[in-house]
Amino acid sequence: MANVVVIGSQWGDEGKGKIVDWLSNRADVVVRFQGGHNAGHTLVIDGVTYKMSLLPSGVVRPGKLSIIGNGVVLDPWALLDEIDTVGAQGVDISPDNLRIAENAPLILPLHGNLDRAREEARGSAKIGTTGRGIGPAYEDKVARRAIRVADLTEPEVLDARVEELLVHHNALLRGFGKPEIEGAALVDELNMVAPRILPYAGNTWKQLDDARRAGKRILFEGAQGTMLDIDHGTYPYVTSSNTVAGQAAAGSGQGPGAIDYALGIVKAYTTRVGSGPFPTELHDDIGRGLGERGREFGTVTGRARRCGWFDAVLVRQSVKVNGIHGIALTKLDVLDGVEELKVCTAYRLNGEIIDHLPASTIRQAKVEPVYESVEGWSESTRGARSWAELSATTIKYVRRIEELIGAPVAMLSTSPEREDSILVHDPFTD
């Protein structure tokens, strides 16, 4: 049985939530392996909308095990709020179907405070973070001063770790002219939340290894998108973790051989939230129309997304960096009625044609898209569940995307509803 990793192949917001939910029906275990509660997944099931940030999308399906892996930075208060919210919608969440890696680092209130202080200090040069403390939490992890889930079980260790952590953070806060954090108060907050979090904690890498050896199907759920990867994205306008397929193994405690199939989620046009380069961005009525029809607002932040034409250069780069076997093409219906579509097939930089996005920030800002025009379609694709329901013109657009990015379409999504999908081949079995 194949184990599948689902990866955003643009700047995030590609519609991963629905695809993961759809695939989770075929999986036994669903794993989050990076990011924090800055990642928003929206699921629409039988007319009910679920908005989740930390919880793996599999929790809405009975009988599935969901795991938050060691690669995630965990805000325990945000997680508990999310459990309560989703629970109020009739989803049963308990330690029987949700497990948290005991070696996952925690996001503390001071991380969010520092995140927002930095953005404020950057002024017009701000990166566009969500202000939820994701970056500072990853910094503490790498600097070996993070508080981890397991530390909540040992009060004497917790006191020492908090003291060490505050030596660093209070110095930063003084520099920003912000109030310092009192260690005893922070320890009290952690001791209060510990009894609600610890029942979910455990040795998840071993649990996953046991599941894999037993022939269980595992679905690894990525957050954000490849172009927000800390190494391979549009640095410094990126998130603070590795969002690529290779992180699924490290962020869950598995070897690289545990991943059999990489499914890239690709929107039929391009969007991004926040600052940073965006070669195909549209500032006209077409761009605004895509945003309105696609309801392009961030699940977590509510911020309007920037919209533009499909960028085959970026997606082709993502296919190579992730080792993508096939893509799920989403929001095809948003292009219904657009008379002429454009696809970016290359970039022009200082008069030279290039086939990739350069790493240099200055060069990224200078690239100009080279477009190919494609005939649009007037027929509605919304809700289509078979190729026969798509016009020849629509299929031609899909086939051209496949050619340009060097990967086949495995699935098509034609609305937010779970069943409005066209399955070309099943990543778990084909």
Side-chain angles (χ1 to χ4, degrees), residues 57-103:
S57 298
V59 297
V60 300
R61 287 189 179 272
K64 310 296 181 182
L65 175 64
S66 292
I67 289 179
I68 298 176
N70 57 275
V72 174
V73 282
L74 180 76
D75 183 323
W77 298 275
L79 176 62
L80 292 172
D81 285 344
E82 194 172 324
I83 289 172
D84 291 342
T85 299
V86 176
Q89 293 182 278
V91 178
D92 181 34
I93 300 175
S94 73
D96 292 330
N97 65 351
L98 174 66
R99 304 298 293 167
I100 302 170
E102 60 189 359
N103 53 337

Side-chain angles (χ1 to χ4, degrees), residues 190-258:
L190 290 169
N191 284 332
M192 287 179 65
V193 79
R196 294 189 62 193
I197 288 292
L198 288 176
Y200 295 96
N203 191 338
T204 56
W205 67 264
K206 187 176 186 305
Q207 197 167 8
L208 279 170
D209 184 66
D210 291 342
R212 186 170 60 84
R213 291 177 183 278
K216 303 290 187 182
R217 290 177 175 175
I218 303 172
L219 181 61
F220 297 89
E221 177 182 6
Q224 289 96 26
T226 300
M227 289 300 142
L228 293 175
D229 184 273
I230 188 68
D231 290 312
H232 301 286
T234 48
Y235 190 91
Y237 301 99
V238 293
T239 194
S240 299
S241 62
N242 286 111
T243 61
V244 293
Q247 178 62 18
S252 61
Q254 302 300 289

Side-chain angles (χ1 to χ4, degrees), residues 10 267-271 290 294 296 307-310 331 334-335:
Q10 294 154 307
K267 194 177 286 185
Y269 48 102
T270 310
T271 63
L290 292 175
E296 296 296 353
C307 298
W309 293 121
F310 185 83
K331 291 202 168 185
V334 175
L335 298 180

Side-chain angles (χ1 to χ4, degrees), residues 18 100 106 114 189 232 297 355 383:
K18 171 189 169 174
I100 302 170
L106 298 179
L114 178 59
E189 288 185 76
H232 301 286
F297 298 92
D355 62 357

Side-chain angles (χ1 to χ4, degrees), residues 11 233-237 272 275-281 283 306 314 347-350 354 356-369:
W11 276 295
T234 48
Y235 190 91
Y237 301 99
R272 82 169 296 174
S275 306
F278 187 169
T280 65
E281 183 173 11
H283 299 281
R306 300 153 63 190
L314 285 185
Y347 296 142
R348 183 178 290 106
L349 178 62
N350 299 326
I354 61 173
H356 65 283
L357 187 67
S360 162
T361 304
I362 293 176
R363 290 165 66 86
Q364 285 178 0
K366 288 182 177 180
V367 299
E368 300 173 0

